[in-house]
Amino acid sequence: MTASLTLDAVSKRFRGARATAVSNVTLHVAAGSCTAVLGPSGSGKSTLLRLVAGLEAPDSGRVLIGGHDVAGVAAERRGVGMVFQRSLLFPHLSVLDNVAFSARVRGESRRRARAQAAEFLEMVQLRGFGARRVDELSGGQEQRVAIARALAADPAVLLLDEPFSALDPALRADMHALLDELRLTVGPTILLVTHDRDEASRVADRIAVLDGGELQHESDVAGAYRAPSSVRVAELMGARNLIPGVMTDGIHRSELGEIPIPDATAHGPAVLIVRQEDVQLWRSEETPPSQHPLGTPSDGDRSVDAAGRAPLAVETATPAHVAAGWWAGTVESARASGARTDLTVRVTPSVLLHAEVTSAQAPRLGERVALAIPAGAAHVVTA
């Protein structure tokens, strides 16, 4: 069973609290889809999940599952399954009986409940684990059992409250792959709470950004990254190039110069947002600053620099990557993260640009480089 989930102007304030935990949140999750609620600690994410689950009651607004208002419906009767950061398995029951628990509560026979539980264990790749005790499981295995137990209850909506945050990166990647498989085979409606934007983009169809109890942004994954609704959302999504300026007649003017933003409707003070992954970078230690690409680019092929080298951030710059502007700069810092390096480049006395490149190709500190913003990569929001 799968159903849509709708939060209609939901608010919640706890007694004695200075601030509202959740304020006037409206959100729709289509049946069979996955929405990730992303936000910092204390933003109201877990409260929102508890309101859906029936563990808390909203002060105002409605929670609808499959179009039906579930106000007053007990948590166990809402058709909602929930998996927490801790697995919360019953230590006195075997793995199989943990998964069979909901069927037994429904009145199924022990034999039938266990037979169904074995199918769900196989679904989460734990075939043959039914006889084990909970304390014999690894952290990742515990979370797989918790997911199997939640799915065994045949929920209309599956709620995941940071269920993978305590796992190491490899196990977390395995759990993300498992969710992909479950979505193909079972197709549950999923509302996932996380503070990890990489996890949100990996598993969800849409991202809802919550901050201070308020819904700041909701869109598909690409929109959350490249068309955030505010500077705060851009920061929460990890954007590092936030350049203040003024928008007039579709052009953003700042210390970087004039950058056309054809689709922008903003007028007046505005912040230019460019993701560091989108900035193109050319190493240029052998190229005099007066020559392309440190000077004005030619109208010809921009797929290589003057020394014949391809840009580091992309394999090939095609005509679709025609840049809105070029800048010369000096590398001031380089922070490696795995196979990627985040560079900070000084392009004016007061403006730094960030570019992300492969660590193997990262330029040296102090090296002169050329930077370009591809057409269509820049976004503006009202300041």
Side-chain angles (χ1 to χ4, degrees), residues 64-365:
L64 299 96
I65 296 176
H68 301 289
D69 190 345
V70 293
V73 178
E76 64 271 15
R77 297 185 179 277
R78 289 195 174 194
V80 170
M82 193 163 182
V83 180
F84 299 88
Q85 183 175 346
R86 295 177 56 202
S87 63
L88 301 180
L89 300 176
F90 302 123
H92 62 288
L93 296 180
S94 68
V95 166
L96 188 66
D97 285 336
N98 262 278
V99 180
F101 180 79
S102 58
R104 291 289 288 151
V105 170
R106 291 196 305 266
E108 298 281 359
S109 68
R110 184 184 299 273
R111 175 178 294 182
R112 180 171 175 77
R114 285 181 167 178
Q116 292 173 344
E119 294 177 5
F120 283 102
L121 284 175
E122 186 164 353
M123 193 178 296
V124 298
Q125 301 169 8
L126 288 179
R127 182 179 183 180
F129 279 67
R132 295 195 186 187
R133 300 192 312 271
V134 171
D135 60 10
E136 295 177 310
L137 302 177
S138 68
Q141 290 166 348
E142 284 190 23
Q143 288 302 79
R144 287 174 184 264
V145 174
I147 291 173
R149 184 176 64 179
L151 292 174
D154 192 24
V157 176
L158 180 62
L159 306 177
L160 304 177
D161 190 1
E162 302 197 54
F164 314 133
S165 61
L167 304 179
D168 64 51
L171 282 176
R172 197 155 54 242
D174 288 344
M175 298 305 293
H176 296 163
L178 174 64
L179 276 186
D180 287 342
E181 295 175 13
L182 292 175
R183 292 189 64 193
L184 288 173
T185 56
V186 183
T189 302
I190 299 175
L191 188 64
L192 165 73
V193 157
T194 181
H195 63 272
D196 184 343
R197 58 181 172 267
D198 291 333
E199 178 170 83
S201 63
R202 169 65 179 82
V203 304
D205 304 306
R206 302 185 69 81
I207 293 178
V209 180
L210 203 64
D211 190 40
E214 297 183 354
L215 185 65
Q216 304 288 340
H217 180 98
E218 195 275 333
S219 72
D220 60 18
V221 173
Y225 274 93
R226 288 188 161 74
S229 54
S230 68
V231 169
R232 177 58 175 159
V233 172
E235 291 172 338
L236 290 171
M237 294 306 301
R240 304 196 66 195
N241 293 312
L242 308 170
I243 301 149
V246 176
M247 276 294 296
T248 54
D249 302 322
I251 296 175
H252 186 270
R253 294 173 171 86
S254 70
E255 288 194 41
L256 284 179
E258 297 185 352
I259 299 179
I261 314 291
D263 298 330
T265 58
H267 187 82
V271 176
L272 179 76
I273 300 172
V274 182
R275 291 206 57 91
Q276 56 273 18
E277 303 95 335
D278 291 335
V279 175
Q280 295 179 353
L281 183 145
W282 282 257
R283 298 187 68 169
S284 51
E285 61 179 338
E286 299 173 1
T287 305
S290 60
Q291 298 181 20
H292 171 63
L294 293 178
T296 302
S298 69
D299 293 329
D301 179 17
R302 293 183 173 89
S303 62
V304 295
D305 66 13
R309 291 170 297 210
L312 305 183
V314 291
E315 291 185 0
T316 304
T318 67
H321 295 114
V322 174
W326 300 85
W327 297 271
T330 302
V331 178
E332 287 198 353
S333 70
R335 185 181 63 185
S337 178
R340 309 291 294 178
T341 294
D342 183 84
L343 301 173
T344 302
V345 181
R346 177 74 63 182
V347 294
T348 77
S350 59
V351 176
L352 294 167
L353 283 180
H354 296 269
E356 186 178 291
V357 300
T358 64
S359 295
Q361 296 174 308
R364 301 181 303 274
L365 294 181

